[in-house]
Coordinates of all heavy atoms in Angstrom, one line a residue:
V154 N 38.9 80.1 184.9 CA 40.4 80.1 184.9 C 40.9 79.3 183.6 O 41.7 79.8 182.8 CB 41.0 79.4 186.1 CG1 42.5 79.4 186.0 CG2 40.6 80.2 187.4
L231 N 40.6 79.2 201.9 CA 41.0 80.3 200.9 C 42.2 81.0 201.4 O 43.2 81.1 200.6 CB 39.8 81.2 200.7 CG 40.1 82.5 199.8 CD1 40.6 82.0 198.4 CD2 38.9 83.3 199.7
L234 N 45.3 78.7 201.1 CA 45.8 78.6 199.7 C 46.5 79.9 199.2 O 47.5 79.8 198.6 CB 44.7 78.2 198.8 CG 44.2 76.8 198.9 CD1 42.8 76.6 198.3 CD2 45.1 75.8 198.3
L235 N 45.9 81.0 199.6 CA 46.5 82.3 199.1 C 47.9 82.5 199.8 O 48.9 83.0 199.2 CB 45.6 83.4 199.4 CG 44.3 83.5 198.6 CD1 43.5 84.7 199.1 CD2 44.6 83.7 197.1
G261 N 48.0 90.6 188.8 CA 46.7 90.8 189.6 C 46.7 89.8 190.7 O 46.3 90.2 191.9
F262 N 46.9 88.6 190.4 CA 46.8 87.5 191.4 C 48.0 87.7 192.5 O 47.8 87.5 193.6 CB 47.0 86.2 190.8 CG 47.0 85.0 191.8 CD1 45.8 84.7 192.5 CD2 48.2 84.4 192.2 CE1 45.8 83.7 193.4 CE2 48.2 83.4 193.1 CZ 47.0 83.1 193.8
R263 N 49.1 88.1 192.0 CA 50.3 88.4 192.9 C 49.9 89.4 193.9 O 50.3 89.3 195.2 CB 51.5 88.8 192.1 CG 52.8 88.9 193.0 CD 53.9 89.6 192.3 NE 54.2 88.9 191.0 CZ 55.2 87.9 191.0 NH1 55.8 87.5 192.0 NH2 55.4 87.4 189.8
R264 N 49.2 90.4 193.6 CA 48.8 91.5 194.5 C 47.9 90.9 195.6 O 48.0 91.3 196.8 CB 48.1 92.6 193.8 CG 49.0 93.5 193.0 CD 48.3 94.8 192.6 NE 47.3 94.6 191.7 CZ 47.4 94.5 190.3 NH1 48.6 94.6 189.8 NH2 46.4 94.3 189.5
T265 N 47.0 90.0 195.2 CA 46.2 89.3 196.2 C 47.0 88.5 197.2 O 46.9 88.5 198.4 CB 45.2 88.3 195.5 OG1 44.3 89.1 194.7 CG2 44.4 87.5 196.5
A266 N 47.9 87.6 196.6 CA 48.7 86.8 197.4 C 49.7 87.5 198.4 O 50.0 87.1 199.5 CB 49.6 85.8 196.6
E268 N 49.1 90.0 200.1 CA 48.3 90.4 201.3 C 48.3 89.3 202.4 O 48.0 89.6 203.5 CB 46.9 90.7 200.9 CG 46.8 91.9 200.0 CD 45.4 92.2 199.6 OE1 44.4 91.5 200.1 OE2 45.1 93.1 198.8
W269 N 48.7 88.0 202.0 CA 48.6 86.9 203.0 C 49.9 86.2 203.3 O 50.0 85.1 203.0 CB 47.5 85.9 202.4 CG 46.1 86.6 202.4 CD1 45.5 87.1 201.3 CD2 45.3 86.8 203.5 NE1 44.3 87.6 201.7 CE2 44.2 87.5 203.1 CE3 45.4 86.6 204.9 CZ2 43.1 87.9 203.9 CZ3 44.4 86.9 205.7 CH2 43.3 87.6 205.3
D319 N 32.3 81.6 199.6 CA 33.4 81.9 198.8 C 34.0 80.7 198.1 O 35.2 80.6 197.8 CB 34.6 82.7 199.6 CG 35.0 81.8 200.8 OD1 34.6 80.6 200.9 OD2 35.8 82.3 201.6
T321 N 33.8 79.5 195.0 CA 34.4 79.7 193.7 C 35.8 80.3 193.8 O 36.7 79.9 193.2 CB 33.5 80.7 192.8 OG1 32.2 80.1 192.7 CG2 34.1 80.9 191.5
D322 N 35.9 81.3 194.8 CA 37.3 81.8 195.0 C 38.2 80.9 195.5 O 39.4 80.9 195.2 CB 37.1 83.1 195.9 CG 36.5 84.3 195.2 OD1 36.5 84.3 193.9 OD2 36.0 85.2 195.9
T323 N 37.7 80.0 196.4 CA 38.6 79.0 197.0 C 39.1 78.0 195.9 O 40.3 77.6 195.8 CB 37.9 78.2 198.1 OG1 37.5 79.2 199.1 CG2 38.9 77.3 198.8
A324 N 38.2 77.6 195.0 CA 38.5 76.7 194.0 C 39.5 77.4 193.0 O 40.5 76.8 192.5 CB 37.3 76.2 193.2
R325 N 39.2 78.7 192.8 CA 40.1 79.5 191.9 C 41.6 79.5 192.5 O 42.6 79.5 191.8 CB 39.6 80.9 191.7 CG 38.5 81.0 190.6 CD 38.5 82.3 190.0 NE 38.1 83.4 191.0 CZ 38.7 84.5 191.0 NH1 39.7 84.8 190.2 NH2 38.4 85.5 192.0
A326 N 41.6 79.7 193.9 CA 42.9 79.8 194.5 C 43.6 78.4 194.4 O 44.9 78.4 194.2 CB 42.7 80.1 196.0
A327 N 42.9 77.3 194.5 CA 43.6 76.0 194.3 C 44.1 75.9 192.9 O 45.2 75.4 192.7 CB 42.6 74.9 194.7
I328 N 43.3 76.3 191.9 CA 43.7 76.2 190.5 C 44.9 77.1 190.3 O 45.9 76.8 189.6 CB 42.6 76.6 189.5 CG1 41.4 75.6 189.7 CG2 43.1 76.6 188.1 CD1 40.2 76.0 189.0
S329 N 44.9 78.3 190.8 CA 46.0 79.3 190.7 C 47.3 78.7 191.3 O 48.3 78.9 190.7 CB 45.6 80.6 191.4 OG 44.4 81.1 190.9
L330 N 47.2 78.1 192.4 CA 48.4 77.4 193.0 C 49.0 76.4 192.1 O 50.2 76.3 191.8 CB 48.0 76.9 194.4 CG 49.2 76.1 195.1 CD1 50.4 77.0 195.3 CD2 48.6 75.5 196.4
L589 N 44.6 83.9 185.4 CA 44.7 84.3 186.8 C 44.0 85.6 187.0 O 43.9 86.5 186.0 CB 46.1 84.3 187.2 CG 46.9 83.0 187.4 CD1 48.3 83.3 187.7 CD2 46.2 82.1 188.4
A590 N 43.5 85.9 188.2 CA 42.9 87.1 188.5 C 42.9 87.4 190.0 O 43.2 86.4 190.8 CB 41.4 87.2 188.0
P591 N 42.8 88.6 190.4 CA 42.8 88.9 191.9 C 41.6 88.1 192.6 O 40.6 87.8 192.0 CB 42.5 90.4 192.0 CG 43.0 90.9 190.7 CD 42.7 89.9 189.7
I592 N 41.9 87.7 193.8 CA 40.9 87.0 194.6 C 40.8 87.8 195.9 O 41.7 88.0 196.6 CB 41.3 85.6 194.8 CG1 41.4 84.8 193.5 CG2 40.3 84.9 195.8 CD1 41.9 83.4 193.7
H593 N 39.6 88.2 196.3 CA 39.3 89.0 197.5 C 38.7 88.1 198.6 O 37.8 87.4 198.3 CB 38.5 90.2 197.2 CG 39.0 91.1 196.1 ND1 40.1 91.8 196.3 CD2 38.6 91.3 194.8 CE1 40.4 92.5 195.1 NE2 39.5 92.1 194.3
V594 N 39.3 88.2 199.8 CA 38.7 87.5 200.9 C 37.7 88.3 201.6 O 37.9 89.4 201.9 CB 39.9 87.2 201.9 CG1 39.4 86.4 203.2 CG2 41.0 86.4 201.2
R595 N 36.5 87.6 201.8 CA 35.4 88.3 202.5 C 35.5 88.3 204.0 O 36.2 87.3 204.5 CB 34.1 87.7 202.0 CG 33.9 87.6 200.5 CD 32.7 86.8 200.1 NE 31.4 87.3 200.4 CZ 30.3 86.7 200.2 NH1 30.2 85.6 199.6 NH2 29.1 87.3 200.5
H702 N 29.3 84.2 192.8 CA 29.7 83.8 191.4 C 29.0 82.5 190.9 O 28.5 82.5 189.8 CB 31.2 83.5 191.4 CG 32.1 84.6 191.9 ND1 32.2 85.8 191.2 CD2 32.8 84.7 193.0 CE1 33.0 86.6 191.9 NE2 33.4 86.0 193.0

Side-chain angles (χ1 to χ4, degrees):
V154 181
L231 175 56
L234 287 164
L235 291 176
F262 177 76
R263 187 192 300 270
R264 286 193 295 272
T265 295
E268 299 175 2
W269 291 104
D319 59 4
T321 301
D322 286 339
T323 305
R325 282 205 297 135
I328 299 172
S329 300
L330 176 59
L589 291 174
I592 298 173
H593 302 291
V594 177
R595 303 169 71 179
H702 308 289

